[in-house]
Amino acid sequence: MLDVGFGHGESTIEMAAAEPDLDVVGVEVHTPGVVTVLDAIEHHGLHHIRVVHGDLLPFLDRVPPGSLAAVRVYFPDPWKKRRNFHRRLVAPDVVSALTVRLRVGGTLHLATAIAHSADSLRAVCDSEPRLSGGLIERPDSRPHTRFEQRGLDAGRSPTDLLYTRVVTSGV
C-alpha cells in the first residue's frame, strides 16, 4: 500500500497499527512528518512501514507495474489559485502513473475537505479509463487528519472518493 503525502503521519501510524499485515510505503516531503513516522516505526514496532522522504514521481519510477494493492491520497494541497493548478498532486499524469502501479482490483482512495478540490479529484479520476468508482461515504477506517479537522472547523465536510483498477490492458 502506498500512502502519498502523509503530512504529519498520524493517520499513517494509526492505520498501520490497525493493519499489521499490510506493508505500507509512505511518501512525504515534509521532514517533521517523516521524523514522526520513523519514530513510530522504532518505538511502536511498526516495522511494516517504509518511508520515502521526497517527491512521489521520482519514487514511482522504482515501483513495478501492478505491484500495489492500494494507494491513499488524503487531503492533498488544493492549490486554490488558478496560476498554481499545475502544482496539484492529483493530476492526470500522476493518476495514470499510480494506476499503472495498481494491480487489477487495487484501490485508489482520495479524501479532501475542499469542494472545488473534490470536483477536480473526481474529474481527473473519472477520466482515467482503467479506474472505476467515485464518491463514497467516509469510511470509519480512515482516521481524522489535521487537515480534515481544519476543514470541519471551517464548516467544510470531507469528501471521500474510492476507485478500483478494472482494466488490465494499456498497463
Side-chain angles (χ1 to χ4, degrees), residues 8 28 33 38 44 73 78 114 118 122 127 149 161 165:
H8 293 282
E28 178 56 61
L38 291 173
H44 300 291
V73 184
I114 299 177
R122 191 171 189 178
S127 69
Q149 192 57 53
L161 301 165
R165 168 107 190 238

Side-chain angles (χ1 to χ4, degrees), residues 89-139:
L89 174 65
V90 182
D93 62 326
V94 176
V95 169
S96 178
L98 290 171
T99 302
V100 165
R101 283 144 183 97
L102 279 174
R103 63 181 63 138
V104 173
T107 59
L108 172 61
H109 183 187
L110 305 109
T112 184
I114 299 177
H116 74 80
S117 182
D119 294 340
S120 174
L121 297 174
R122 191 171 189 178
V124 168
C125 292
D126 285 350
S127 69
E128 171 53 62
R130 295 165 291 187
L131 293 176
S132 176
L135 186 66
I136 61 167
E137 291 292 320
R138 185 195 188 285

